[in-house]
Amino acid sequence: MIAQESIGGPPAWVPEIITYAVPAFVILIVSEMLIVKATKKGEYSAVDSAASLSMGLGNQVAKVLVGGLAVAAYFLVYQFRLFNLGWTWPVLVACFFAEDLAYYWMHRISHERRWFWASHVVHHSSQHYNLTTALRQTWTGVLGLSFIFWLPLVLIGFPPEMVLMFSAFSLVYQFWIHTELIHRMGPFEWVFNTPSHHRVHHATNARYLDANYAGVLIIWDRMFGTFVPEDDEEKPRYGIISNLGTFNPFRVAFHEWVGIWRDVTHAKSLRDALGYLFGPPGWSPDGSRKTSRSIKQQWAAHQAAATPAE
Amino acid sequence: MKDWVILGASAVVVAFMVAVAALLGFRTRVRIDQRELERLLALSEPGARIAESACADDGAAALARLTDGKFAVAKTMGDRVTLRLHAPAQVALALERGGVRATFADLGFPVLHMKLENPPRWLAEVAAGGGGNA
């Protein structure tokens, strides 16, 4: 048995990762604004950025108010852990990959199931794509139970502080990929999430819908069949299928939850109610609304009709 | 207490960044005309056909009734336009002084006050009839 050298426990700075990254966020955002102004590459809108940054601020308020619930859940489940995994280098490496895999599935299900989409839709609701979009974050992530996707990690035995540390690293990593200023990054794109991969993720073009769910590593999308490369012939159109008609942060934060409430309370059966809650975004009993699948099917049929027969 | 101090400082930083964006001139407003309405509709709903349409006098909005009975509503959002399709039951139209008021059954799309000094007949008829029950 190989002796595993312990690093002694969680670093003292673990809980402050995002706070320490904020000055860099500000510098990068202002820098991006200046570059966009000078080069006309990329786009900014003051009112859209105001909405995005307000959502980010509200996200931090929500974390102060209810973030402890998620942390408490981690520690509660950790009591029943299957293995005692300490702060050793092999465990840290394993946790990095496990956390990123958990993020991929959380992110994918947040696009495929309306309950989780109701929180995540906020991040996609901007029709712009720049570094302020990265900070456009949900207010309802904790109350919407998005944290449950990481509970298996603490159940396995990864220390909650370690999981939280890598979650914070992942969020900080994903900040810089929200830009149109970086085109491609060569072999880096084979393994890591990049601006190009993430532009596809934020696009509403039928070709790009529901793809590239990566946090740090794009390998999960390649592995699970959700990878779509950016096509220079088709510029991404950003936003959501039913784009919002408001910059009001409260409407942005809660519009999908209100939509769910309306649908569930008017549902004609329990099956329909559950469909509205846990079916794909856009699901309806009569198929009258659009889901990602129906949009892609319609697009594929349109492409086939437009292609001359050989 | 420390958290609230950090949040207060964050709010100041947010205001600073928005001010920089405004000072750099990122305040473009687009206008919607018939051509833009048709372009957006072609992108979002290939194959959809406009039966009747009306563009706001200030270019801030447009409304169209499609051949399948749905309504297409376009609204400027800064330098972007949001186009949404609504079933007739999801939108309520009413005439008001200087234009048309459109109310939607979606918290993400607030009431739209469309400036139209002379609404076209089709729109006036739909609005007079309530135009839906949102």
Side-chain angles (χ1 to χ4, degrees), chain B residues 63 65 69-71 86-95 100-104 122-134:
Chain B
L63 194 59
R65 183 161 58 183
K70 287 184 186 165
F71 288 101
H86 297 274
Q90 293 173 327
V91 55
L93 297 172
L95 291 175
V100 172
R101 182 178 71 247
T103 309
F104 306 93
W122 74 269
L123 188 49
E125 284 171 358
V126 171
N133 56 3

PDB file of all heavy atoms in Angstrom, chain B residues 63 65 69-71 86-95 100-104 122-134:
ATOM      1  N   LEU B  63     -46.055  44.595 -34.066  1.00  0.00           N
ATOM      2  CA  LEU B  63     -47.029  43.533 -33.805  1.00  0.00           C
ATOM      3  C   LEU B  63     -47.478  42.979 -35.146  1.00  0.00           C
ATOM      4  O   LEU B  63     -47.717  43.743 -36.091  1.00  0.00           O
ATOM      5  CB  LEU B  63     -48.206  44.146 -33.062  1.00  0.00           C
ATOM      6  CG  LEU B  63     -49.208  43.241 -32.379  1.00  0.00           C
ATOM      7  CD1 LEU B  63     -48.547  42.364 -31.342  1.00  0.00           C
ATOM      8  CD2 LEU B  63     -50.282  44.085 -31.718  1.00  0.00           C
ATOM      9  N   ARG B  65     -49.989  39.762 -36.990  1.00  0.00           N
ATOM     10  CA  ARG B  65     -50.825  38.570 -36.892  1.00  0.00           C
ATOM     11  C   ARG B  65     -50.376  37.658 -38.025  1.00  0.00           C
ATOM     12  O   ARG B  65     -50.288  38.076 -39.187  1.00  0.00           O
ATOM     13  CB  ARG B  65     -52.296  38.923 -37.027  1.00  0.00           C
ATOM     14  CG  ARG B  65     -53.190  37.690 -36.863  1.00  0.00           C
ATOM     15  CD  ARG B  65     -54.614  38.031 -36.543  1.00  0.00           C
ATOM     16  NE  ARG B  65     -55.239  38.878 -37.553  1.00  0.00           N
ATOM     17  CZ  ARG B  65     -56.488  39.349 -37.431  1.00  0.00           C
ATOM     18  NH1 ARG B  65     -57.196  39.063 -36.359  1.00  0.00           N
ATOM     19  NH2 ARG B  65     -56.992  40.119 -38.362  1.00  0.00           N
ATOM     20  N   GLY B  69     -52.807  32.484 -37.222  1.00  0.00           N
ATOM     21  CA  GLY B  69     -53.592  33.068 -36.134  1.00  0.00           C
ATOM     22  C   GLY B  69     -52.764  33.548 -34.951  1.00  0.00           C
ATOM     23  O   GLY B  69     -53.254  34.271 -34.094  1.00  0.00           O
ATOM     24  N   LYS B  70     -51.508  33.128 -34.869  1.00  0.00           N
ATOM     25  CA  LYS B  70     -50.673  33.566 -33.743  1.00  0.00           C
ATOM     26  C   LYS B  70     -50.285  35.035 -33.905  1.00  0.00           C
ATOM     27  O   LYS B  70     -50.339  35.585 -35.008  1.00  0.00           O
ATOM     28  CB  LYS B  70     -49.397  32.722 -33.668  1.00  0.00           C
ATOM     29  CG  LYS B  70     -49.616  31.311 -33.164  1.00  0.00           C
ATOM     30  CD  LYS B  70     -48.281  30.581 -33.024  1.00  0.00           C
ATOM     31  CE  LYS B  70     -48.527  29.132 -32.653  1.00  0.00           C
ATOM     32  NZ  LYS B  70     -47.333  28.323 -32.857  1.00  0.00           N
ATOM     33  N   PHE B  71     -49.873  35.621 -32.793  1.00  0.00           N
ATOM     34  CA  PHE B  71     -49.342  36.984 -32.815  1.00  0.00           C
ATOM     35  C   PHE B  71     -47.825  36.948 -32.647  1.00  0.00           C
ATOM     36  O   PHE B  71     -47.307  36.219 -31.812  1.00  0.00           O
ATOM     37  CB  PHE B  71     -49.941  37.816 -31.680  1.00  0.00           C
ATOM     38  CG  PHE B  71     -51.378  38.166 -31.883  1.00  0.00           C
ATOM     39  CD1 PHE B  71     -52.380  37.470 -31.223  1.00  0.00           C
ATOM     40  CD2 PHE B  71     -51.746  39.185 -32.752  1.00  0.00           C
ATOM     41  CE1 PHE B  71     -53.715  37.777 -31.425  1.00  0.00           C
ATOM     42  CE2 PHE B  71     -53.073  39.504 -32.964  1.00  0.00           C
ATOM     43  CZ  PHE B  71     -54.065  38.798 -32.291  1.00  0.00           C
ATOM     44  N   HIS B  86     -47.018  34.395 -29.739  1.00  0.00           N
ATOM     45  CA  HIS B  86     -48.012  34.108 -28.723  1.00  0.00           C
ATOM     46  C   HIS B  86     -49.268  33.562 -29.381  1.00  0.00           C
ATOM     47  O   HIS B  86     -49.713  34.082 -30.402  1.00  0.00           O
ATOM     48  CB  HIS B  86     -48.386  35.373 -27.958  1.00  0.00           C
ATOM     49  CG  HIS B  86     -47.251  35.988 -27.200  1.00  0.00           C
ATOM     50  ND1 HIS B  86     -46.908  35.611 -25.930  1.00  0.00           N
ATOM     51  CD2 HIS B  86     -46.369  36.952 -27.544  1.00  0.00           C
ATOM     52  CE1 HIS B  86     -45.873  36.328 -25.522  1.00  0.00           C
ATOM     53  NE2 HIS B  86     -45.525  37.151 -26.475  1.00  0.00           N
ATOM     54  N   ALA B  87     -49.837  32.540 -28.751  1.00  0.00           N
ATOM     55  CA  ALA B  87     -51.162  32.106 -29.180  1.00  0.00           C
ATOM     56  C   ALA B  87     -52.147  33.228 -28.838  1.00  0.00           C
ATOM     57  O   ALA B  87     -51.906  33.994 -27.894  1.00  0.00           O
ATOM     58  CB  ALA B  87     -51.543  30.828 -28.451  1.00  0.00           C
ATOM     59  N   PRO B  88     -53.239  33.344 -29.566  1.00  0.00           N
ATOM     60  CA  PRO B  88     -54.197  34.433 -29.298  1.00  0.00           C
ATOM     61  C   PRO B  88     -54.629  34.507 -27.832  1.00  0.00           C
ATOM     62  O   PRO B  88     -54.833  35.583 -27.294  1.00  0.00           O
ATOM     63  CB  PRO B  88     -55.382  34.093 -30.216  1.00  0.00           C
ATOM     64  CG  PRO B  88     -54.759  33.342 -31.341  1.00  0.00           C
ATOM     65  CD  PRO B  88     -53.636  32.554 -30.749  1.00  0.00           C
ATOM     66  N   ALA B  89     -54.728  33.358 -27.184  1.00  0.00           N
ATOM     67  CA  ALA B  89     -55.200  33.351 -25.790  1.00  0.00           C
ATOM     68  C   ALA B  89     -54.164  33.902 -24.823  1.00  0.00           C
ATOM     69  O   ALA B  89     -54.467  34.172 -23.664  1.00  0.00           O
ATOM     70  CB  ALA B  89     -55.566  31.920 -25.385  1.00  0.00           C
ATOM     71  N   GLN B  90     -52.923  34.067 -25.297  1.00  0.00           N
ATOM     72  CA  GLN B  90     -51.854  34.496 -24.397  1.00  0.00           C
ATOM     73  C   GLN B  90     -51.589  35.993 -24.443  1.00  0.00           C
ATOM     74  O   GLN B  90     -50.719  36.490 -23.736  1.00  0.00           O
ATOM     75  CB  GLN B  90     -50.559  33.755 -24.739  1.00  0.00           C
ATOM     76  CG  GLN B  90     -50.631  32.263 -24.464  1.00  0.00           C
ATOM     77  CD  GLN B  90     -49.390  31.554 -24.969  1.00  0.00           C
ATOM     78  OE1 GLN B  90     -48.799  31.955 -25.978  1.00  0.00           O
ATOM     79  NE2 GLN B  90     -48.996  30.511 -24.287  1.00  0.00           N
ATOM     80  N   VAL B  91     -52.329  36.693 -25.314  1.00  0.00           N
ATOM     81  CA  VAL B  91     -52.094  38.124 -25.411  1.00  0.00           C
ATOM     82  C   VAL B  91     -53.426  38.858 -25.455  1.00  0.00           C
ATOM     83  O   VAL B  91     -54.355  38.438 -26.136  1.00  0.00           O
ATOM     84  CB  VAL B  91     -51.217  38.460 -26.635  1.00  0.00           C
ATOM     85  CG1 VAL B  91     -51.814  37.920 -27.913  1.00  0.00           C
ATOM     86  CG2 VAL B  91     -50.977  39.944 -26.762  1.00  0.00           C
ATOM     87  N   ALA B  92     -53.516  39.936 -24.691  1.00  0.00           N
ATOM     88  CA  ALA B  92     -54.714  40.770 -24.675  1.00  0.00           C
ATOM     89  C   ALA B  92     -54.348  42.135 -25.231  1.00  0.00           C
ATOM     90  O   ALA B  92     -53.418  42.775 -24.742  1.00  0.00           O
ATOM     91  CB  ALA B  92     -55.260  40.901 -23.264  1.00  0.00           C
ATOM     92  N   LEU B  93     -55.074  42.552 -26.257  1.00  0.00           N
ATOM     93  CA  LEU B  93     -54.810  43.848 -26.883  1.00  0.00           C
ATOM     94  C   LEU B  93     -55.927  44.812 -26.544  1.00  0.00           C
ATOM     95  O   LEU B  93     -57.104  44.423 -26.510  1.00  0.00           O
ATOM     96  CB  LEU B  93     -54.725  43.694 -28.407  1.00  0.00           C
ATOM     97  CG  LEU B  93     -53.582  42.805 -28.917  1.00  0.00           C
ATOM     98  CD1 LEU B  93     -53.708  42.570 -30.418  1.00  0.00           C
ATOM     99  CD2 LEU B  93     -52.239  43.441 -28.608  1.00  0.00           C
ATOM    100  N   ALA B  94     -55.563  46.057 -26.288  1.00  0.00           N
ATOM    101  CA  ALA B  94     -56.561  47.073 -26.000  1.00  0.00           C
ATOM    102  C   ALA B  94     -56.067  48.403 -26.550  1.00  0.00           C
ATOM    103  O   ALA B  94     -54.875  48.708 -26.487  1.00  0.00           O
ATOM    104  CB  ALA B  94     -56.804  47.176 -24.503  1.00  0.00           C
ATOM    105  N   LEU B  95     -57.014  49.188 -27.089  1.00  0.00           N
ATOM    106  CA  LEU B  95     -56.649  50.519 -27.566  1.00  0.00           C
ATOM    107  C   LEU B  95     -56.497  51.439 -26.363  1.00  0.00           C
ATOM    108  O   LEU B  95     -57.237  51.346 -25.386  1.00  0.00           O
ATOM    109  CB  LEU B  95     -57.736  51.060 -28.495  1.00  0.00           C
ATOM    110  CG  LEU B  95     -57.883  50.355 -29.846  1.00  0.00           C
ATOM    111  CD1 LEU B  95     -59.080  50.901 -30.613  1.00  0.00           C
ATOM    112  CD2 LEU B  95     -56.621  50.521 -30.673  1.00  0.00           C
ATOM    113  N   VAL B 100     -51.621  51.252 -28.611  1.00  0.00           N
ATOM    114  CA  VAL B 100     -52.202  49.962 -28.270  1.00  0.00           C
ATOM    115  C   VAL B 100     -51.468  49.412 -27.055  1.00  0.00           C
ATOM    116  O   VAL B 100     -50.250  49.541 -26.947  1.00  0.00           O
ATOM    117  CB  VAL B 100     -52.066  48.979 -29.460  1.00  0.00           C
ATOM    118  CG1 VAL B 100     -52.488  47.566 -29.067  1.00  0.00           C
ATOM    119  CG2 VAL B 100     -52.884  49.468 -30.645  1.00  0.00           C
ATOM    120  N   ARG B 101     -52.220  48.812 -26.154  1.00  0.00           N
ATOM    121  CA  ARG B 101     -51.621  48.157 -24.999  1.00  0.00           C
ATOM    122  C   ARG B 101     -51.721  46.652 -25.194  1.00  0.00           C
ATOM    123  O   ARG B 101     -52.788  46.132 -25.486  1.00  0.00           O
ATOM    124  CB  ARG B 101     -52.336  48.567 -23.723  1.00  0.00           C
ATOM    125  CG  ARG B 101     -51.722  47.958 -22.459  1.00  0.00           C
ATOM    126  CD  ARG B 101     -52.424  48.422 -21.194  1.00  0.00           C
ATOM    127  NE  ARG B 101     -53.747  47.848 -21.065  1.00  0.00           N
ATOM    128  CZ  ARG B 101     -54.870  48.554 -21.135  1.00  0.00           C
ATOM    129  NH1 ARG B 101     -54.852  49.843 -21.338  1.00  0.00           N
ATOM    130  NH2 ARG B 101     -56.032  47.939 -20.992  1.00  0.00           N
ATOM    131  N   ALA B 102     -50.594  45.967 -25.039  1.00  0.00           N
ATOM    132  CA  ALA B 102     -50.587  44.507 -25.164  1.00  0.00           C
ATOM    133  C   ALA B 102     -50.153  43.914 -23.834  1.00  0.00           C
ATOM    134  O   ALA B 102     -49.103  44.281 -23.301  1.00  0.00           O
ATOM    135  CB  ALA B 102     -49.634  44.080 -26.283  1.00  0.00           C
ATOM    136  N   THR B 103     -50.968  43.025 -23.311  1.00  0.00           N
ATOM    137  CA  THR B 103     -50.693  42.378 -22.025  1.00  0.00           C
ATOM    138  C   THR B 103     -50.474  40.884 -22.268  1.00  0.00           C
ATOM    139  O   THR B 103     -51.229  40.260 -23.019  1.00  0.00           O
ATOM    140  CB  THR B 103     -51.875  42.562 -21.060  1.00  0.00           C
ATOM    141  OG1 THR B 103     -52.212  43.948 -21.014  1.00  0.00           O
ATOM    142  CG2 THR B 103     -51.510  42.093 -19.669  1.00  0.00           C
ATOM    143  N   PHE B 104     -49.451  40.345 -21.619  1.00  0.00           N
ATOM    144  CA  PHE B 104     -49.050  38.962 -21.885  1.00  0.00           C
ATOM    145  C   PHE B 104     -49.127  38.113 -20.626  1.00  0.00           C
ATOM    146  O   PHE B 104     -48.901  38.602 -19.519  1.00  0.00           O
ATOM    147  CB  PHE B 104     -47.617  38.920 -22.429  1.00  0.00           C
ATOM    148  CG  PHE B 104     -47.420  39.795 -23.622  1.00  0.00           C
ATOM    149  CD1 PHE B 104     -46.967  41.092 -23.469  1.00  0.00           C
ATOM    150  CD2 PHE B 104     -47.719  39.338 -24.892  1.00  0.00           C
ATOM    151  CE1 PHE B 104     -46.812  41.925 -24.561  1.00  0.00           C
ATOM    152  CE2 PHE B 104     -47.553  40.159 -25.996  1.00  0.00           C
ATOM    153  CZ  PHE B 104     -47.104  41.459 -25.828  1.00  0.00           C
ATOM    154  N   TRP B 122     -57.141  46.356 -38.807  1.00  0.00           N
ATOM    155  CA  TRP B 122     -57.144  44.990 -38.265  1.00  0.00           C
ATOM    156  C   TRP B 122     -56.775  45.006 -36.779  1.00  0.00           C
ATOM    157  O   TRP B 122     -57.359  44.284 -35.970  1.00  0.00           O
ATOM    158  CB  TRP B 122     -56.187  44.075 -39.044  1.00  0.00           C
ATOM    159  CG  TRP B 122     -54.721  44.322 -38.772  1.00  0.00           C
ATOM    160  CD1 TRP B 122     -53.903  45.165 -39.465  1.00  0.00           C
ATOM    161  CD2 TRP B 122     -53.921  43.742 -37.734  1.00  0.00           C
ATOM    162  NE1 TRP B 122     -52.636  45.147 -38.913  1.00  0.00           N
ATOM    163  CE2 TRP B 122     -52.616  44.282 -37.852  1.00  0.00           C
ATOM    164  CE3 TRP B 122     -54.179  42.817 -36.711  1.00  0.00           C
ATOM    165  CZ2 TRP B 122     -51.577  43.932 -37.008  1.00  0.00           C
ATOM    166  CZ3 TRP B 122     -53.135  42.464 -35.859  1.00  0.00           C
ATOM    167  CH2 TRP B 122     -51.836  43.021 -36.009  1.00  0.00           C
ATOM    168  N   LEU B 123     -55.816  45.859 -36.438  1.00  0.00           N
ATOM    169  CA  LEU B 123     -55.360  45.923 -35.054  1.00  0.00           C
ATOM    170  C   LEU B 123     -56.434  46.566 -34.181  1.00  0.00           C
ATOM    171  O   LEU B 123     -56.690  46.116 -33.059  1.00  0.00           O
ATOM    172  CB  LEU B 123     -54.059  46.716 -34.985  1.00  0.00           C
ATOM    173  CG  LEU B 123     -53.307  46.734 -33.651  1.00  0.00           C
ATOM    174  CD1 LEU B 123     -53.133  45.334 -33.091  1.00  0.00           C
ATOM    175  CD2 LEU B 123     -51.940  47.397 -33.827  1.00  0.00           C
ATOM    176  N   ALA B 124     -57.060  47.594 -34.700  1.00  0.00           N
ATOM    177  CA  ALA B 124     -58.128  48.253 -33.948  1.00  0.00           C
ATOM    178  C   ALA B 124     -59.283  47.274 -33.713  1.00  0.00           C
ATOM    179  O   ALA B 124     -59.873  47.241 -32.628  1.00  0.00           O
ATOM    180  CB  ALA B 124     -58.603  49.492 -34.703  1.00  0.00           C
ATOM    181  N   GLU B 125     -59.574  46.443 -34.722  1.00  0.00           N
ATOM    182  CA  GLU B 125     -60.675  45.474 -34.578  1.00  0.00           C
ATOM    183  C   GLU B 125     -60.315  44.416 -33.537  1.00  0.00           C
ATOM    184  O   GLU B 125     -61.126  44.051 -32.698  1.00  0.00           O
ATOM    185  CB  GLU B 125     -60.963  44.801 -35.920  1.00  0.00           C
ATOM    186  CG  GLU B 125     -61.735  45.689 -36.896  1.00  0.00           C
ATOM    187  CD  GLU B 125     -61.816  45.094 -38.293  1.00  0.00           C
ATOM    188  OE1 GLU B 125     -61.252  44.009 -38.517  1.00  0.00           O
ATOM    189  OE2 GLU B 125     -62.446  45.732 -39.165  1.00  0.00           O
ATOM    190  N   VAL B 126     -59.071  43.926 -33.615  1.00  0.00           N
ATOM    191  CA  VAL B 126     -58.652  42.907 -32.646  1.00  0.00           C
ATOM    192  C   VAL B 126     -58.654  43.506 -31.242  1.00  0.00           C
ATOM    193  O   VAL B 126     -59.140  42.885 -30.295  1.00  0.00           O
ATOM    194  CB  VAL B 126     -57.236  42.383 -32.993  1.00  0.00           C
ATOM    195  CG1 VAL B 126     -56.713  41.490 -31.877  1.00  0.00           C
ATOM    196  CG2 VAL B 126     -57.262  41.617 -34.301  1.00  0.00           C
ATOM    197  N   ALA B 127     -58.138  44.729 -31.117  1.00  0.00           N
ATOM    198  CA  ALA B 127     -58.068  45.363 -29.794  1.00  0.00           C
ATOM    199  C   ALA B 127     -59.464  45.639 -29.251  1.00  0.00           C
ATOM    200  O   ALA B 127     -59.733  45.444 -28.071  1.00  0.00           O
ATOM    201  CB  ALA B 127     -57.260  46.655 -29.883  1.00  0.00           C
ATOM    202  N   ALA B 128     -60.345  46.063 -30.121  1.00  0.00           N
ATOM    203  CA  ALA B 128     -61.719  46.351 -29.676  1.00  0.00           C
ATOM    204  C   ALA B 128     -62.403  45.092 -29.197  1.00  0.00           C
ATOM    205  O   ALA B 128     -63.223  45.103 -28.276  1.00  0.00           O
ATOM    206  CB  ALA B 128     -62.502  46.991 -30.814  1.00  0.00           C
ATOM    207  N   GLY B 129     -61.993  43.967 -29.806  1.00  0.00           N
ATOM    208  CA  GLY B 129     -62.589  42.687 -29.411  1.00  0.00           C
ATOM    209  C   GLY B 129     -61.894  42.054 -28.230  1.00  0.00           C
ATOM    210  O   GLY B 129     -62.231  40.952 -27.800  1.00  0.00           O
ATOM    211  N   GLY B 130     -60.873  42.701 -27.655  1.00  0.00           N
ATOM    212  CA  GLY B 130     -60.152  42.158 -26.505  1.00  0.00           C
ATOM    213  C   GLY B 130     -58.900  41.421 -26.901  1.00  0.00           C
ATOM    214  O   GLY B 130     -57.974  41.276 -26.113  1.00  0.00           O
ATOM    215  N   GLY B 131     -58.867  40.865 -28.110  1.00  0.00           N
ATOM    216  CA  GLY B 131     -57.646  40.254 -28.641  1.00  0.00           C
ATOM    217  C   GLY B 131     -57.095  39.109 -27.836  1.00  0.00           C
ATOM    218  O   GLY B 131     -55.912  38.856 -27.814  1.00  0.00           O
ATOM    219  N   GLY B 132     -57.907  38.386 -27.082  1.00  0.00           N
ATOM    220  CA  GLY B 132     -57.355  37.284 -26.298  1.00  0.00           C
ATOM    221  C   GLY B 132     -57.738  37.444 -24.854  1.00  0.00           C
ATOM    222  O   GLY B 132     -58.491  38.344 -24.483  1.00  0.00           O
ATOM    223  N   ASN B 133     -57.254  36.603 -23.996  1.00  0.00           N
ATOM    224  CA  ASN B 133     -57.679  36.672 -22.594  1.00  0.00           C
ATOM    225  C   ASN B 133     -56.500  36.422 -21.670  1.00  0.00           C
ATOM    226  O   ASN B 133     -56.589  35.652 -20.750  1.00  0.00           O
ATOM    227  CB  ASN B 133     -58.795  35.661 -22.331  1.00  0.00           C
ATOM    228  CG  ASN B 133     -58.356  34.246 -22.716  1.00  0.00           C
ATOM    229  OD1 ASN B 133     -57.219  34.030 -23.109  1.00  0.00           O
ATOM    230  ND2 ASN B 133     -59.269  33.315 -22.628  1.00  0.00           N
ATOM    231  N   ALA B 134     -55.414  37.082 -21.945  1.00  0.00           N
ATOM    232  CA  ALA B 134     -54.218  36.920 -21.106  1.00  0.00           C
ATOM    233  C   ALA B 134     -54.442  37.454 -19.687  1.00  0.00           C
ATOM    234  O   ALA B 134     -55.134  38.452 -19.542  1.00  0.00           O
ATOM    235  CB  ALA B 134     -53.052  37.662 -21.714  1.00  0.00           C
TER     236      ALA B 134
END
